[in-house]
Amino acid sequence: MHQAPSGPLPYYEDPGPGTGALPPRAWTGVSDARRVNLGGAWRFRLLPTADGADESFARPGFDASGWDVLPVPSHWPLQGEDGAYGRPAYTNIRYPFPVDPPRVPTDNPTGDHLRAFDLPGDWPGGAAVLRFDGVDSCARVWLNGQELGTFKGSRLPVEFEVGEVLRPRGNVLAVRVHQWSAGSYLEDQDMWWLPGIFRDVTLIERPEGAVADYFVHCEYDHLTGNGSLRVDCAPQGTVTVPELGLDIATGQTAVVPVEPWSAERPRLYDAELATEGERIPLRIGFRTVRVEDGVLEVNGRRVLFRGVNRHEFDPDHGRVVDLETMRRDLVLMKRHNINAVRTSHYPPHPAFLDLCDELGVWVVDECDLETHGFEEVGWRGNPVDDDRWTPALLDRAARMVERDKNHPSVVMWSLGNECGTGRGLSAMAGWIRERDPARPIHYEGDWSCPDVDVYSRMYADHAETELIGRRAEPPLPDPALDRRRRAMPFVLCEYAHAMGNGPGGLTEYQQIFETYERCQGGFVWEWIDQGLRARTPDGTEYFAYGGDFGEELHDGNFVCDGLVFPDRTPSPGLLEYKKVVQPVAFTADLARGVVRVTNRHDVADLSGLAFRWVYQVAGECAGEGPLAVPALAPGQSAEVALPDAPAPVKPADLVNPGNPFGAEACWTVRAVLAEDTAWAPAGHEVAWQQFAVPSPPAPAPQAPAAAAAPHRPHRPHRTDDGLIRLGPGLFDTAGTLRRLDGAALAAGPRLDVWRAPIDNDRGTQWHPDGRLEHMWRAAGFDRMQHRVDEVALGEAELTVSTRVAPAASDLGLRTVYRWRAAGGALALDVEVVPEGPWTLPLPRLGVRLGLSPALDAVEWYGGGPGEAYPDTRDASRLGRYRSTVAALQTPYVRPQENGARADVRWAELRAADGSGLRVAGAPPFWFTARPWSTEQLAAAEHTYELVRGDVLWLHLDHGLQGVGSHACGPEVLPDFRLDAVPSAFSFTFTPLRAGDPAGAADTPEQP
């Protein structure tokens, strides 16, 4: 049992919500009431404990001239140099203090803030409120020496009445902020622990007759096309909507024909709410959200969430995010076909929801509540099942709902995240349902779903998700709850954990969502890597994660699991997600010359898109043009005829029998914006698909009139110094290629099965049996030894027989290399046969070689332009691409395997003078080029540790293990496992000389 304190709890340890605050109300960003933004430079001092100083600093006349100056909004650990005000700390689940609710440590960093201000000259006096939009985690407030109150609930607003305390000049606002409080037990939300006043502080005039609160009720009847509008307001007033010809009293309902609001067509009507003392501009969106027959519908149509979980984050400022950055986030989302946001795990800055209304995004608005750390102690003392905390829970629910109730983008309320179960959650659900019955309620943490309208899960794997889609999941013990849950729509509130290289398996999830009506999509975890910008002593920039600030307890780079990097550069995972969830689908029947186009939007027809076709031969555009696609309604399909295939760019490619890919042709069909939108210009690509043209049958053999004399194969022979010469290649006595056309190789091609473990290989504490990295290292895949059994010189080939195997194991890979040469090229055939009982998948299977680092320019024909892996290759399209070696790398915050290009037919690497190497492969291969080795990549913990070396490492892989999302989600699906099976693959190496034009070796002579 916890020992109770001998006296009353201090306010920061009281489980209640606080004292002195006004009732919560709707957030109004703009009105004709005067406002004073109190952000800017504040005086600041940091105390080590919550009771380390008295309240004298809040009294009039206190001299704070010796204090530091700190910006507000801000987090104090991110200010100053070298941890002058403490340091950030990251934990995912575990509380960074003893679990003894509601008590917190004596060592409790406390920031005293002071702000002096004068009122504007035209300030009329009278009532006014002081509003805080976000303070972490507990604050006590004084104005001109008078205490206003205390509050908790870091990411929720609070207002105090201050009219009678204000002075025309010389006002002093004093705020004491504690990092730890009873509220901290409710805010264990998988993010950096960062105290401070991190959102706006505003003084707002409240003239006589000003709006105390208002609730805009807008519904849409999809059967009649009518919208109903009623605005409840205190005091009474009027509402005008000029575009609809409406001028009605508050409390009165009007029904008129309207265009509905949706994420795809965010139709807003400008309106004005007027009372005797205030005018507030409104943007009204008509929409109705309901669960009908087990399906979540908006305006009578099923919606499919193509969503992300979004933390508020900036790499320099933490959770201080400005309006421009919010808009940038949403524009990026819209451009990548994302249509929904879950505000994990707290309400966002209110201006973000204004932007969601404007740009069109479905929002699941989540309360500022998570008690996940109690799971570590068996949920003992969990506040959501302790009546002492229920007032705080209800307070948080009310402050969220009242603030955000007027946003059409908000289609569900979420009680919080990962809080276990308890009476407090039921109380919150009951209050919300009574206050706003027009929106469904979400909460994932109780799978029996007693308090919610939607069945929600996180990281259910594909098989379980499909069972749920069929409403065939295992039954609950309570038959009544089972029937209730089975009748609910299903949403994956978190899935496809986007940590590092990944997530894999997105396509297979999307197929389930599109197959089963009950499965209404989900929200990828998460939007952004929460890496904090840092610099090494020499100024090299990198992003820091858990443990980089000396935390006693931390969860490492688990804070970096987003679809965009900390600087908001899209990751390959975001590009893959865009392709997988694209709202237009294409299939083709090229024998009939048609493409079938399907509209997968929830609401919009295809009139806003233009369609184009591109025909490529050998990666080069041979023709392009418009494609006539009707304005299909959602769910509709149509067949559209393709034009006749254009003549190829290079007719010689079609007849050269020596180049299997020279005649390769494909169609690409694209859907682009027909006109500019608020989030992208006309021509922005929304969806695309490629279709390979079947190769024509080989012509019947004909006697050549004058056949050219074939190149004579080279015969391998030993040189005077014991080396082996074969065409342009020079091999050592062990059969390893050392020079090619006179150029030295740092390391000759040999079998490689190891990759620098990705985050999903490393696993987490939640998957102790699934850590592939651990199992791979235990099996010795990172330390394979190569034994040469025979080097044989034949009439036309050099054969090297080897066995590749780890120490302390009887597993092995019998590997035979067969080298041939003709016409200045060197060909390698590789055969691999496993020996022993292989049960683990291989990380990779291919060859690795080391080249000169001067070969910096890269061109290839294959998949691109970005990286791809077996289960993340939907966004890879066949083409001809150019890059540099540096640009091929993906800068994951924690370095790991990256940068592979899929389906490569050939690749060239050249130095500045044009010399270099061309590699062609059959079958097409995975191509990776790096300025550092796999071993260096695996050893690095941060990007600055990767230093370009004196070897360019080239990986030519026959197969790669998929990536999955097992850092927190499912393992790699069976179809993407790289099992050890007999394999054969080939490569052709052609030296390139200075002056050769790029791509000149499109049709290399084959040995």
Side-chain angles (χ1 to χ4, degrees):
M1 296 290 293
H2 300 301
Q3 184 174 355
S6 57
L9 290 170
Y11 66 91
Y12 51 84
E13 290 186 329
D14 189 299
T19 59
L22 293 168
R25 64 186 182 113
W27 185 77
T28 301
V30 178
S31 80
D32 63 351
R34 291 171 177 80
R35 294 165 182 256
V36 177
N37 183 345
L38 296 178
W42 290 48
R43 289 290 179 177
F44 176 80
R45 71 174 176 187
L46 183 62
L47 304 170
T49 66
D51 55 0
D54 58 27
E55 294 86 46
S56 60
F57 81 103
R59 297 171 190 161
F62 181 85
D63 182 9
S65 60
W67 288 17
D68 295 337
V69 176
L70 196 77
V72 169
S74 72
H75 299 283
W76 69 67
L78 300 182
Q79 303 300 314
E81 300 292 335
D82 298 323
Y85 305 121
R87 292 178 175 272
Y90 167 65
T91 61
N92 171 27
I93 294 175
R94 298 171 292 179
Y95 291 108
F97 48 79
V99 180
D100 184 19
R103 307 299 306 280
V104 296
T106 299
D107 293 333
N108 186 359
T110 295
D112 285 343
H113 302 69
L114 281 175
R115 170 72 153 89
F117 64 95
D118 298 330
L119 294 176
D122 60 351
W123 189 267
V129 297
L130 177 67
R131 182 183 181 95
F132 295 87
D133 281 314
V135 181
D136 191 331
S137 72
C138 174
R140 187 177 180 187
V141 185
W142 297 263
L143 179 61
N144 295 331
Q146 180 171 324
E147 182 172 348
L148 303 180
T150 65
F151 64 95
K152 310 177 191 75
S154 298
R155 282 148 287 277
L156 290 162
V158 66
E159 290 183 333
F160 297 100
E161 169 59 49
V162 296
E164 294 183 357
V165 188
L166 286 171
R167 304 167 180 167
R169 301 184 61 80
N171 293 282
V172 177
L173 176 59
V175 185
R176 172 163 286 174
V177 180
H178 308 288
Q179 174 158 15
W180 307 125
S181 70
S184 302
Y185 286 102
L186 305 180
E187 296 175 4
D188 185 28
Q189 293 146 319
D190 186 13
M191 59 186 180
W192 294 99
W193 297 93
L194 288 171
I197 304 173
F198 68 95
R199 286 185 186 161
D200 301 324
V201 182
T202 312
L203 181 68
I204 308 171
E205 175 206 5
R206 308 311 297 142
E208 186 73 25
V211 175
D213 193 17
Y214 63 100
F215 196 161
V216 179
H217 302 273
C218 288
E219 293 193 354
Y220 177 74
D221 186 334
H222 66 280
L223 298 177
T224 65
N226 288 332
S228 66
L229 170 64
R230 185 185 84 248
V231 179
D232 296 332
C233 179
Q236 291 290 312
T238 60
V239 178
T240 56
V241 190
E243 192 174 352
L244 297 176
L246 292 180
D247 187 346
I248 59 175
T250 57
Q252 178 183 346
T253 299
V255 179
V256 290
V258 297
E259 298 174 49
W261 185 97
S262 70
E264 292 167 6
R265 289 182 171 168
R267 181 65 162 95
L268 294 171
Y269 290 89
D270 290 331
E272 185 180 73
L273 169 63
T275 64
E276 182 181 348
E278 188 174 16
R279 292 179 177 271
I280 299 175
L282 306 178
R283 294 192 303 175
I284 293 173
F286 293 88
R287 58 106 188 94
T288 297
V289 187
R290 288 198 180 101
V291 175
E292 295 282 351
D293 299 324
V295 176
L296 180 69
E297 296 180 346
V298 179
N299 301 333
R301 297 199 59 87
R302 171 186 183 260
V303 297
L304 182 59
F305 294 125
R306 301 167 170 91
V308 292
N309 286 275
R310 176 187 177 268
H311 267 292
E312 287 190 316
F313 183 75
D314 179 274
D316 300 303
H317 307 294
R319 283 184 290 282
V320 181
V321 181
D322 60 28
L323 187 64
E324 180 183 351
T325 303
M326 297 179 211
R327 181 178 288 275
R328 181 182 173 192
D329 274 348
L330 285 168
V331 166
L332 266 177
M333 291 178 193
K334 296 286 286 189
R335 290 183 177 184
H336 290 86
N337 294 329
I338 290 166
N339 71 357
V341 167
R342 175 179 174 230
T343 67
S344 53
H345 298 293
Y346 43 83
H349 190 290
F352 180 79
L353 297 178
D354 283 342
L355 293 172
C356 291
D357 295 342
E358 173 191 329
L359 296 174
V361 175
W362 309 117
V363 174
V364 177
D365 199 357
E366 192 150 271
C367 197
D368 192 8
L369 177 60
E370 180 171 340
T371 64
H372 204 172
F374 284 88
E375 184 178 37
E376 300 288 300
V377 296
W379 294 108
R380 293 187 302 277
N382 186 7
V384 304
D385 202 30
D386 182 337
D387 292 339
R388 295 179 301 163
W389 298 80
T390 299
L393 302 182
L394 291 172
D395 172 75
R396 289 173 184 242
R399 286 156 71 189
M400 171 183 71
V401 171
E402 300 295 3
R403 191 196 77 168
D404 297 342
K405 62 196 174 208
N406 296 320
H407 290 281
S409 58
V410 176
V411 294
M412 276 199 285
W413 301 115
S414 179
L415 302 180
N417 184 68
E418 293 177 319
C419 294
T421 60
R423 300 182 301 276
L425 293 168
S426 298
M428 293 172 69
W431 185 92
I432 293 173
R433 189 166 279 113
E434 182 176 352
R435 177 59 172 150
D436 182 27
R439 289 181 175 95
I441 294 175
H442 167 275
Y443 175 67
E444 184 273 342
D446 188 349
W447 296 356
S448 63
C449 302
D451 300 313
V452 299
D453 304 295
V454 173
Y455 179 28
S456 176
R457 290 283 302 281
M458 53 177 67
Y459 307 111
D461 64 20
H462 301 77
E464 184 182 6
T465 300
E466 184 168 11
L467 275 178
I468 295 170
R470 290 162 37 201
R471 303 189 192 270
E473 67 267 28
L476 290 169
D478 184 322
L481 281 177
D482 183 69
R483 286 192 299 272
R484 185 174 184 276
R485 189 185 77 178
R486 206 175 296 274
M488 289 179 177
F490 176 70
V491 170
L492 277 167
C493 67
E494 293 180 22
Y495 82 114
H497 193 262
M499 187 175 180
N501 187 339
L506 287 170
T507 301
E508 291 69 29
Y509 271 121
Q510 196 67 19
Q511 290 168 348
I512 295 170
F513 301 157
E514 292 169 356
T515 299
Y516 299 100
E517 185 180 51
R518 183 189 192 189
C519 293
Q520 299 195 236
F523 300 82
V524 169
W525 186 267
E526 64 174 305
W527 172 241
I528 189 168
D529 283 344
Q530 297 178 64
L532 291 168
R533 198 186 312 271
R535 287 177 173 80
T536 63
D538 68 359
T540 303
E541 184 178 292
Y542 68 100
F543 293 109
Y545 50 77
D548 288 337
F549 298 98
E551 302 102 305
E552 179 181 64
L553 194 69
H554 67 85
D555 286 304
N557 68 310
F558 206 73
V559 76
C560 294
D561 46 14
L563 291 171
V564 297
F565 296 122
D567 62 1
R568 287 176 162 76
T569 301
S571 77
L574 180 60
L575 302 178
E576 178 78 357
Y577 194 40
K578 174 185 178 179
K579 178 64 174 66
V580 168
V581 302
Q582 64 184 25
V584 183
F586 306 95
T587 57
D589 184 344
L590 296 186
R592 295 171 50 226
V594 297
V595 170
R596 186 172 183 83
V597 181
T598 301
N599 181 2
R600 286 186 172 159
H601 286 95
D602 298 327
V603 174
D605 64 22
L606 297 187
S607 60
L609 299 178
F611 292 80
R612 298 192 63 80
W613 60 267
V614 179
Y615 188 79
Q616 290 175 299
V617 177
E620 295 281 4
C621 179
E624 59 181 324
L627 192 67
V629 176
L632 300 169
Q636 289 188 340
S637 300
E639 286 191 344
V640 180
L642 290 167
D644 293 335
V649 172
K650 300 177 181 178
D653 284 348
L654 297 176
V655 297
N656 190 320
N659 181 8
F661 303 117
E664 187 174 29
C666 71
W667 293 93
T668 302
V669 181
R670 305 172 62 235
V672 303
L673 290 180
E675 298 179 348
D676 292 348
T677 69
W679 47 270
H684 166 78
E685 186 176 78
V686 172
W688 63 272
Q689 197 68 48
Q690 280 189 325
F691 305 101
V693 177
S695 300
Q702 297 180 6
H711 285 278
R712 180 176 300 172
H714 294 269
R715 180 174 182 175
H717 62 278
R718 295 191 182 274
T719 63
D720 292 341
D721 51 4
L723 302 178
I724 302 168
R725 171 73 67 181
L726 176 60
L730 187 64
F731 297 78
D732 63 20
T733 56
T736 301
L737 181 65
R738 293 304 184 191
R739 301 187 73 85
L740 182 63
D741 199 33
L745 276 67
R750 71 174 185 174
L751 194 74
D752 185 24
V753 301
W754 181 238
R755 75 182 183 195
I758 65 173
D759 288 316
N760 293 323
D761 297 335
R762 300 175 78 196
T764 67
Q765 68 239 40
W766 301 279
H767 299 292
D769 299 324
R771 298 177 184 172
L772 265 179
E773 178 189 15
H774 173 77
M775 293 187 287
W776 280 342
R777 290 186 184 276
F781 292 177
D782 60 327
R783 48 183 172 81
M784 302 292 277
Q785 299 183 20
H786 299 251
R787 185 185 74 211
V788 178
D789 291 336
E790 183 182 20
V791 179
L793 281 64
E795 286 295 317
E797 67 181 21
L798 169 65
T799 303
V800 183
S801 300
T802 71
R803 189 174 188 272
V804 182
S809 171
D810 62 352
L811 298 178
L813 298 170
R814 185 71 63 180
T815 306
V816 178
Y817 309 91
R818 291 186 175 88
W819 293 92
R820 294 170 290 113
L826 196 61
L828 170 62
D829 297 328
V830 183
E831 294 181 7
V832 181
V833 178
E835 295 180 339
W838 289 81
T839 57
L840 288 174
L842 293 170
R844 69 179 346 124
L845 182 67
V847 297
R848 177 172 80 160
L849 60 156
L851 305 173
S852 165
L855 304 181
D856 188 58
V858 185
E859 182 174 359
W860 74 97
Y861 170 39
E867 78 174 25
Y869 287 81
D871 50 352
T872 61
R873 64 192 298 174
D874 272 37
S876 177
R877 69 180 91 186
L878 184 65
R880 191 158 163 171
Y881 302 100
R882 291 181 173 86
S883 180
T884 63
V885 169
L888 291 176
Q889 315 309 307
T890 302
Y892 294 113
V893 173
R894 188 193 74 86
Q896 55 198 276
E897 165 67 35
N898 72 88
R901 267 58 181 180
D903 304 313
V904 174
R905 279 69 165 153
W906 57 259
E908 294 181 357
L909 297 101
R910 292 179 181 264
D913 64 0
S915 63
L917 175 67
R918 185 182 196 277
V919 183
F925 57 98
W926 303 87
F927 169 79
T928 312
R930 296 196 184 102
W932 36 72
S933 69
T934 298
E935 292 73 21
Q936 291 170 310
L937 189 61
E941 293 293 330
H942 299 87
T943 52
Y944 68 82
E945 298 171 54
L946 293 171
V947 180
R948 191 181 183 101
D950 56 2
V951 177
L952 171 65
W953 292 100
L954 185 62
H955 294 263
L956 310 171
D957 289 305
H958 176 63
L960 294 172
Q961 166 79 354
V963 297
S965 62
H966 201 44
C968 194
E971 296 182 73
V972 173
L973 288 167
D975 287 350
F976 307 114
R977 276 176 54 104
L978 182 62
D979 290 318
V981 297
S983 304
F985 45 96
S986 301
F987 300 104
T988 300
F989 302 92
T990 305
L992 302 174
R993 295 177 175 83
D996 287 348
D1002 269 2
T1003 55
E1005 298 183 66
Q1006 303 294 311

